[in-house]
Amino acid sequence: MDHSGHGMTTDLPPFTLGRGLEFSPDLFFLFGCLAALGLYGWGVVRLRRRGDAWPVARTVLFTVGVLTIALVMCTRLNDYGMVMFSVHMVQHMVISMVSPILLLLGAPVTLALRALPVAGRGSLGPRELLLKLLHSRYMRIITHPVFTISMFIASLYGLYFTSLFDTLMASKPGHIAMMVHFLAVGLVFFWPIMGVDPGPHRPGYVMRMLELFAGMPFHAFFGIAMMMATQPMVEAYKNPPASLGIDALADQNAAGGIAWAFSEIPSVLVLIALVYQWYHSEQRHAVRKDRQADRDGDKELAEYNAYLASLQARGR
């Protein structure tokens, strides 16, 4: 078999879903996924052993999120993604827009803060370092909407419409770095919007929806630009291997369609998560108000009635 400089085969047979889903692990992502599942499982077991509950739904969502990363990086989809723009775009969209949403709904940071032991007085342990990072200026910057939306957009236009993409695709470390970047950008973009974990920026629900819709249209515009192009725009995919039996321009148009479609799917997922979180937030607020009313004899209502009575007395 012929191999390119990054170690991927270049004489692959024509793509089919069955071939694409064959096991072909990238060791970096394989060990990364196993480590993530292992650490998360350790945290859940630690909580359960001391009698604390942890929602099963969060565990399921985090596990599925990790598996989506493994799906696109530890199968032959990763091999085909090196020579087919359309398959690469599936990888990009999944790892930057589907995997982050599922991982964030699993609340891994909250789990870590609850499971990690508290260090002794005057010392810094893993839990204290994590808290320090969460409250750092660096974290406030990278989770600010100006930064997250800019990075979300730049990861499309600044990568595919410049020579940077070809530079990264020329080596295996470059390709891995690009995929890690996609995942990181997705995490910091969606974390302030619908993440369960605590963070420096937590705007109201209406603002979160506005942040979501501020970024999503650029994916659609990017996909449309790809679909309307009359010649291949990315050097790495201009000359696909003859064994694939594909046309470079048709494959690019398919990649554009995938990017356009994925601008809608995450929006729906995130909106569902936001509405769910909003509803439960209102429910918790109502419960707190009821408890407060029980404790103080509904002092707030009594004060409001007294205020109305004073207004009525003034009007006489």
Side-chain angles (χ1 to χ4, degrees), residues 182-255:
F182 290 153
L183 178 61
V185 168
L187 287 170
V188 298
F189 177 76
F190 288 112
W191 180 15
I193 296 174
M194 44 65 64
V196 180
D197 293 319
H201 293 281
R202 191 62 69 186
Y205 287 97
V206 174
M207 284 302 300
R208 295 188 204 183
M209 291 180 183
L210 292 176
E211 286 181 32
L212 173 66
F213 290 121
M216 288 298 109
F218 290 94
H219 262 268
F221 298 151
F222 171 79
I224 292 170
M226 286 286 183
M227 294 169 67
M228 294 181 63
T230 57
Q231 61 182 7
M233 301 172 65
V234 179
E235 189 68 32
Y237 296 113
K238 277 187 176 180
N239 299 296
S243 62
L244 293 174
I246 61 172
D247 174 71
L249 184 58
D251 188 52
Q252 178 178 280
N253 290 341

Side-chain angles (χ1 to χ4, degrees), residues 27-96:
L27 293 181
F28 176 88
F29 281 97
L30 177 63
F31 288 122
C33 289
L34 291 175
L37 291 175
L39 289 171
Y40 195 94
W42 170 84
V44 173
V45 170
R46 183 174 171 83
L47 288 184
R48 294 274 173 84
R49 282 181 176 173
R50 72 184 189 205
D52 292 341
W54 183 255
V56 174
R58 290 184 181 178
T59 303
V60 171
L61 288 165
F62 185 86
T63 301
V64 174
V66 173
L67 291 178
T68 59
I69 298 174
L71 176 69
V72 296
M73 297 307 302
C74 294
T75 64
R76 295 193 85 187
L77 287 175
N78 194 35
D79 298 341
Y80 278 100
M82 301 303 298
V83 290
M84 291 182 65
F85 200 1
S86 56
V87 178
H88 166 82
M89 194 57 66
V90 170
Q91 288 182 281
H92 180 170
M93 295 297 109
V94 169
I95 208 169
S96 69

Side-chain angles (χ1 to χ4, degrees), residues 129-144 147 191 199-201:
L129 290 173
L130 179 56
L131 280 171
K132 194 172 182 180
L133 176 63
L134 288 173
H135 293 96
S136 66
R137 180 179 297 179
Y138 167 77
M139 195 60 68
R140 286 198 298 272
I141 293 172
I142 69 167
T143 58
H144 193 280
F147 181 88
W191 180 15
H201 293 281

Side-chain angles (χ1 to χ4, degrees), residues 202-205 208 273-289:
R202 191 62 69 186
Y205 287 97
R208 295 188 204 183
L274 274 176
V275 170
Y276 179 83
Q277 291 172 3
W278 197 348
Y279 171 76
H280 278 270
S281 175
E282 292 297 318
Q283 291 291 101
R284 288 193 298 269
H285 180 67
V287 169
R288 284 196 298 270
K289 289 192 70 174

Side-chain angles (χ1 to χ4, degrees), residues 301-316:
L301 179 60
E303 290 176 347
Y304 180 66
N305 288 334
Y307 171 71
L308 292 179
S310 68
L311 291 179
Q312 185 177 10
R314 289 175 194 171
R316 290 177 177 175

Side-chain angles (χ1 to χ4, degrees), residues 5-8 25-28 82 168-177:
H6 43 257
M8 298 296 178
D26 178 290
L27 293 181
F28 176 88
M82 301 303 298
L168 293 172
M169 288 288 285
S171 68
K172 189 170 184 178
H175 181 249
I176 290 173

